[in-house]
Amino acid sequence: MAYDVIVVGTRVAGAATAMLLARRGLRVLAVDRARFPSDTLSTHQVQPPGVARLRAWGLLDPLLEAGTPMARTARFDPGPAVLHGAYPGPDGVLSPRRRLLDALLLDAARAAGAEVWEGFAVDGLRFEGGRVTGIEGEAKGGGRREAAAAVVVGADGKHSTVARAVRAREYRTRPSTSGALYGYFEGLELTGGEMYPRPDRLAGVWPTNDGLAVVYLGVPRAQFDAARRRGIPASLDGCGDLGERVAAARPAEHVRGTVDLPNTFRVPYGPGWALAGDAGLVMDPITGQGIGNALRDAEALAEALAAGLGGAARLPAALRAYHRGRDRERRAMYRITTGMAAFRPDRFGALLYRAIAGDPAEVTRFLGAISGAVPPRDYFNPVNLLGTVTGWRPTPRAA
Ligand SMILES: Cc1cc2nc3c(=O)[nH]c(=O)nc-3n(C[C@H](O)[C@H](O)[C@H](O)COP(=O)(O)OP(=O)(O)OC[C@H]3O[C@@H](n4cnc5c(N)ncnc54)[C@H](O)[C@@H]3O)c2cc1C
């Protein structure tokens, strides 16, 4: 059978894309080498824009009913001042375990009519006259299979097989400069999220399912091995009382970590193919943007593909608009993220934090900007930052 779209990779980007396309009536095949529910090497803070998408798709309630906590407030403690406040709007940061979130999205894709092959590893694409026409690969224990489609979507993560096969061009590539460690702890009292940026570390802690807290530690890449040896609680010294609280809590599950944290954009479309999520644009997890980005890509790409394949628009033009919209939206956060992951000195930050610490509305705007709920380019631009610190605002020009 030929499909309208084959999606390779069925976690946040792929399952959401498959679900949205199937809900629009397209014939969709979604494949993944993993079987679900399955965990993956990732913490799981879904920022407010991602939460809003889950709600719009009818998936927020099942996550909340499964006991997923939503942190509506956060404490951002960089040292010189503490910013403690609420996120803007109705949503905060949701922290569902990936085995829960990814399986829920995949079930929703299936319920919408997508066909799903789990345990199927794609190892090549099929081409005709330079155009991608399908996939081929190996089913676990079931031999080789192939399938054809008008478009193949690579939602297969940062080391995407699809991106490699189509030689998707990379740009704005930045070196991998950090390492990430995380662990789960029981008995850690939290009223919301907590973030502790330090010159040589960033620690974060969030409530998650099963009464656990996930503690994240980002460190310069060169210090990753030492931090791993010291362990999470000892590596939190100087982060307020977090180290002592984590040391007093009970570790649950083993500590996970990686230095495989690339930063790059890829051109996300070409003849017969498109990319979504980390396959198309990956950034260091230090700002916790990847899941929200993947959900946003899924929405925008499904709209472009439905318009292009349904005849409402020319497919290349719809995909070009998807590419431009993605880059426009993501550029500022990418710059902030790669700067944070490089642990560059933030001299202006102390002035900003002191200026806004006592102002709940400004703290809310700041939390909105670092979570992506307020467009970061509207907040982290020189005019806004200068105005926020000094109270000076440019006089609007007379018409
Ligand atoms: C340590 C760490 C912490 C993170 N913390 C956060 C966080 O708190 N918040 C946040 O928003 N983001 C976080 N991220 C980033 C987030 O995990 C990713 O951005 C997100 O998972 C990308 O989703 P995706 O669907 O694009 O790709 P992935 O989640 O990587 O899924 C890709 C899927 O494709 C499948 N696949 C790959 N190749 C093939 C193939 N050849 N054939 C078949 N299937 C294939 C894989 O099995 C996988 O299931 C973190 C990342 C790391 C490494």
Side-chain angles (χ1 to χ4, degrees):
M1 176 192 180
Y3 301 90
D4 295 314
V5 179
I6 295 174
V7 183
V8 183
T10 66
R11 290 193 185 272
V12 277
T17 304
M19 173 191 78
L20 294 171
L21 289 169
R23 284 183 179 179
R24 288 169 184 261
L26 277 80
R27 290 165 304 165
V28 180
L29 169 66
V31 306
D32 201 299
R33 62 157 79 105
R35 292 191 183 278
F36 294 82
S38 109
D39 209 353
T40 187
L41 189 68
S42 165
T43 52
H44 25 75
Q45 282 62 70
V46 185
Q47 309 291 341
V51 178
R53 291 200 163 87
L54 292 170
R55 173 185 284 113
W57 301 339
L59 300 176
L60 180 58
D61 283 346
L63 289 169
L64 296 174
E65 282 156 19
T68 309
M70 172 111 80
R72 290 205 162 75
T73 62
R75 176 191 165 91
F76 183 89
D77 177 348
V82 176
L83 315 184
H84 195 174
Y87 285 94
D91 299 317
V93 171
L94 189 76
S95 194
R97 293 296 295 260
R98 290 293 299 265
R99 56 174 179 256
L100 177 68
L101 175 63
D102 297 2
L104 182 78
L105 281 161
L106 189 56
D107 285 347
R110 251 194 211 101
E115 184 177 337
V116 178
W117 296 353
E118 297 182 39
F120 181 83
V122 172
D123 53 27
L125 299 184
R126 301 179 68 78
F127 290 86
E128 263 174 48
R131 186 178 185 85
V132 174
T133 56
I135 58 166
E136 54 190 44
E138 196 89 27
K140 248 179 224 162
R144 293 201 63 77
R145 280 181 93 169
E146 55 186 59
V151 177
V152 172
V153 172
D156 49 346
K158 58 193 171 194
H159 299 301
S160 167
T161 302
V162 174
R164 201 169 47 245
V166 299
R167 299 202 176 98
R169 184 172 66 79
E170 298 192 352
Y171 55 102
R172 290 201 194 96
T173 305
R174 300 286 176 269
S176 169
T177 47
S178 89
L181 282 174
Y182 65 98
Y184 294 89
F185 293 85
E186 196 180 333
L188 193 58
E189 289 300 317
L190 295 175
T191 54
E194 300 179 20
M195 290 164 275
Y196 299 84
R198 292 291 178 271
D200 60 349
R201 276 165 299 164
L202 182 137
V205 53
W206 301 89
T208 183
N209 300 101
D210 307 317
L212 300 180
V214 58
V215 180
Y216 176 93
L217 182 68
V219 294
R221 197 182 165 106
Q223 292 172 28
F224 177 78
D225 289 336
R228 188 168 219 167
R229 275 195 304 274
R230 287 180 80 197
I232 289 182
S235 300
L236 299 172
D237 60 325
C239 296
D241 64 357
L242 183 63
E244 286 157 38
R245 286 157 60 213
V246 172
R250 201 179 68 75
E253 309 182 22
H254 62 279
V255 171
R256 298 157 166 97
T258 184
V259 290
D260 179 19
L261 301 174
N263 301 287
T264 199
F265 285 58
R266 290 191 180 111
V267 173
Y269 73 100
W273 62 271
L275 303 174
D278 277 7
L281 196 174
V282 60
M283 61 177 88
D284 194 287
I286 203 154
T287 46
Q289 295 293 312
I291 298 170
N293 288 345
L295 299 178
R296 195 262 177 200
D297 281 359
E299 184 177 81
L301 180 58
E303 197 177 314
L305 289 174
L309 295 173
R314 287 188 55 247
L315 185 57
L319 290 172
R320 195 177 321 120
Y322 162 67
H323 180 190
R324 286 203 184 130
R326 181 198 72 172
D327 286 13
R328 199 171 39 243
E329 189 215 59
R330 217 123 331 141
R331 218 172 283 142
M333 187 58 92
Y334 186 77
R335 203 176 49 243
I336 293 163
T337 301
T338 50
M340 284 177 69
F343 293 93
R344 283 192 205 114
D346 177 15
R347 293 195 184 86
F348 188 77
L351 288 174
L352 176 70
Y353 306 141
R354 285 198 191 98
I356 66 176
D359 184 336
E362 280 298 334
V363 170
T364 290
R365 267 191 88 217
F366 175 81
L367 291 176
I370 60 170
S371 65
V374 170
R377 64 178 176 271
D378 292 356
Y379 190 86
F380 292 104
N381 67 67
V383 173
N384 180 62
L385 291 176
L386 195 66
T388 305
V389 169
T390 64
W392 175 84
R393 299 279 175 195
T395 318
R397 279 202 201 147

